[in-house]
Amino acid sequence: MKQPVDPDDVEYDSWIAHNTTYIEETKRILEEYVEHESFDVVKERVIEKNILNKETNKYRRRVFREIARRYIPREDEYVETPLMRVLASDVDESVKEWILYYEFSQNSLIHRVTVDFLYQKYTSGALLIQAPEIRAYITELGEDHPEIQDWSQSTLEEASTKYLSSLKNFGLLKGVQEKEFAVFYVPDEAIAYVCYRLYGSDAETVDELVSHPDWRLFLFDEDEVRRRLQGISPRYVRYEKRGSTERIEPVFDDINEVIDDFE
């Protein structure tokens, strides 16, 4: 297992304050990228041919630039990621969006706020989440992160508001002015995707897998992770529990194989 990254050693950026989730746009652009296998072709189709039906050239450029920065590893050669493979598949749209949420939430700030602050609010029984709470938490992070101390008050406010809006867009929260936790179901395919993303590189044992902080992105505690892994085991993983002994073995050799089985 690779050494976990100390959250205090991570540098946080404020991009969430200036951008949005672009869920439908991301699905379309990455589908196009897999189809054409060319960064330049997709860029032209988005900006010049306006396949996203955006009104201004400036906005089209902004959307493409932001999505490419997040999800396309290289401009000079075609590289297909597991997320692209999912979005180009025929799997249900809800599966695509939960997997997109998982990759979206790998941003260091979103990950930290969700797995540390939001998860704790959820498990404590809180019903409502307000932007000032998020702003206060990010401000507190700034005590150990000089880059946050350089943010303006408006940037902090925008980051807090956009964070809550993003999680609402992905279905974890609901509400207009005040956000509250939504009732949601994460599909088995998304559970399998995360399991294969973590297994072997970030987690080599059952305990490491079940306790991995990424599950908190779905507001899962360890009992819920075990329950979900048991539930999908016949198709995607072999899960055995005998007394206090647990074993999880992947059915497929790599994540691309399990994604192909989604279809």
Side-chain angles (χ1 to χ4, degrees):
M1 178 182 179
K2 68 183 183 182
Q3 292 297 316
V5 176
D6 186 338
D8 290 332
D9 292 336
V10 172
E11 183 168 319
Y12 298 111
D13 62 62
S14 62
W15 69 265
I16 189 62
H18 312 292
N19 295 285
T20 186
T21 48
Y22 300 128
I23 294 174
E24 294 304 319
E25 293 89 343
T26 299
K27 288 194 287 186
R28 180 67 188 278
I29 286 175
L30 296 189
E31 287 170 2
E32 290 273 335
Y33 181 70
V34 172
E35 178 182 350
H36 297 285
E37 299 188 1
S38 169
F39 182 94
D40 291 335
V41 168
V42 177
K43 182 177 181 180
E44 180 186 12
R45 286 177 57 76
V46 171
I47 296 173
E48 304 302 331
K49 298 186 181 299
N50 195 20
I51 61 172
L52 300 178
N53 295 316
K54 303 300 181 183
E55 291 186 359
T56 67
N57 184 278
K58 180 179 179 180
Y59 187 70
R60 295 195 292 270
R61 289 180 180 277
R62 175 182 173 183
V63 172
F64 179 79
R65 181 177 64 249
E66 181 59 28
I67 291 172
R69 184 179 77 84
R70 292 186 208 173
Y71 302 115
I72 299 179
R74 297 179 64 98
E75 297 183 20
D76 57 342
E77 65 175 305
Y78 174 70
V79 178
E80 183 182 293
T81 65
L83 174 62
M84 294 174 191
R85 199 178 190 95
V86 170
L87 296 182
S89 74
D90 293 327
V91 73
D92 189 82
E93 291 300 311
S94 66
V95 175
K96 293 182 180 181
E97 289 176 12
W98 278 110
I99 291 174
L100 178 57
Y101 162 69
Y102 175 73
E103 297 295 349
F104 171 85
S105 64
Q106 295 306 302
N107 170 271
S108 57
L109 182 62
I110 292 176
H111 194 280
R112 179 73 180 270
V113 175
T114 307
V115 304
D116 283 357
F117 180 76
L118 194 72
Y119 175 79
Q120 295 300 327
K121 290 284 289 185
Y122 178 76
T123 56
S124 71
L127 298 178
L128 299 177
I129 304 294
Q130 298 177 320
E133 296 178 273
I134 305 298
R135 184 174 69 247
Y137 178 75
I138 296 174
T139 301
E140 184 179 336
L141 287 179
E143 295 176 3
D144 297 313
H145 293 272
E147 70 276 13
I148 293 178
Q149 297 174 21
D150 291 336
W151 298 359
S152 67
Q153 189 65 24
S154 62
T155 296
L156 283 168
E157 292 175 355
E158 279 291 302
S160 305
T161 302
K162 289 286 184 67
Y163 169 79
L164 292 176
S165 297
S166 296
L167 266 62
K168 177 186 176 182
N169 290 342
F170 279 112
L172 281 84
L173 302 175
K174 63 180 181 179
V176 182
Q177 296 299 325
E178 292 184 329
K179 300 295 188 295
E180 58 183 294
F181 292 104
V183 176
F184 57 85
Y185 178 77
V186 182
D188 284 352
E189 292 87 350
I191 301 298
Y193 180 92
V194 176
C195 183
Y196 275 80
R197 288 281 273 150
L198 299 178
Y199 192 85
S201 59
D202 279 9
E204 296 177 347
T205 68
V206 173
D207 285 342
E208 290 171 349
L209 177 62
V210 169
S211 65
H212 197 283
D214 275 13
W215 296 112
R216 294 183 217 158
L217 295 169
F218 304 101
L219 307 180
F220 288 174
D221 60 18
E222 293 185 18
D223 288 340
E224 180 66 6
V225 176
R226 283 187 167 87
R227 188 185 73 79
R228 294 303 308 272
L229 291 175
Q230 286 175 315
I232 67 169
S233 62
R235 185 168 182 178
Y236 300 117
V237 296
R238 300 182 185 93
Y239 181 99
E240 294 183 6
K241 181 175 176 60
R242 296 180 180 178
S244 60
T245 303
E246 290 180 291
R247 186 173 71 174
I248 294 178
E249 293 182 356
V251 173
F252 299 95
D253 291 333
D254 61 43
I255 193 169
N256 288 331
E257 290 184 8
V258 75
I259 292 169
D260 291 343
D261 192 68
F262 293 167
E263 301 182 46

